[in-house]
Amino acid sequence: EGIPVSGADKAARAKAILERVNRDRGFERLWPKLLAERDPDYMECVHDLTMHALHRKGVLPTKTKELILISLN
C-alpha cells in the first residue's frame, strides 16, 4: 500500500498541511483537521483541488465560487 510512514512523520505532515489550508482559506474548520490527521496526502489533494477550482479563470466570478465553497464547508 505504499511506503510506511512513522507516526511522527505523519503528524508533522498533517500539521504542515493544516497550516497551509488555514493560510490559503483564511479560516479553520474541524473537518480538515480530522482528515489531515487520518490521511495527510488525501487532505492535500482535496485542498489543491479546491484552490484550483477557486482560482481558475472561468465563467463564474471569484465571489460566486467563494460563496459556493462556503456553503460546501
Side-chain angles (χ1 to χ4, degrees):
E1 174 182 308
I3 301 170
V5 178
S6 73
D9 290 341
K10 189 174 180 181
R13 182 146 166 70
K15 182 179 178 190
I17 291 168
L18 281 174
E19 288 172 356
R20 185 174 149 224
V21 168
N22 293 337
R23 181 186 68 241
D24 291 350
R25 295 186 185 189
F27 58 89
E28 189 172 335
R29 306 285 287 189
L30 179 61
W31 72 265
K33 180 179 182 216
L34 296 174
L35 184 56
E37 289 172 354
R38 285 161 180 75
D39 193 345
D41 292 331
Y42 185 70
M43 182 61 223
E44 185 173 36
C45 289
V46 168
H47 179 65
D48 289 343
L49 180 65
T50 302
M51 291 294 101
H52 174 75
L54 181 61
H55 297 294
R56 191 178 123 214
K57 299 289 182 201
V59 177
L60 294 175
T62 301
K63 188 58 104 180
T64 302
K65 293 178 193 177
E66 288 174 351
L67 290 171
I68 291 169
L69 286 174
I70 288 169
S71 69
L72 293 175
N73 278 320

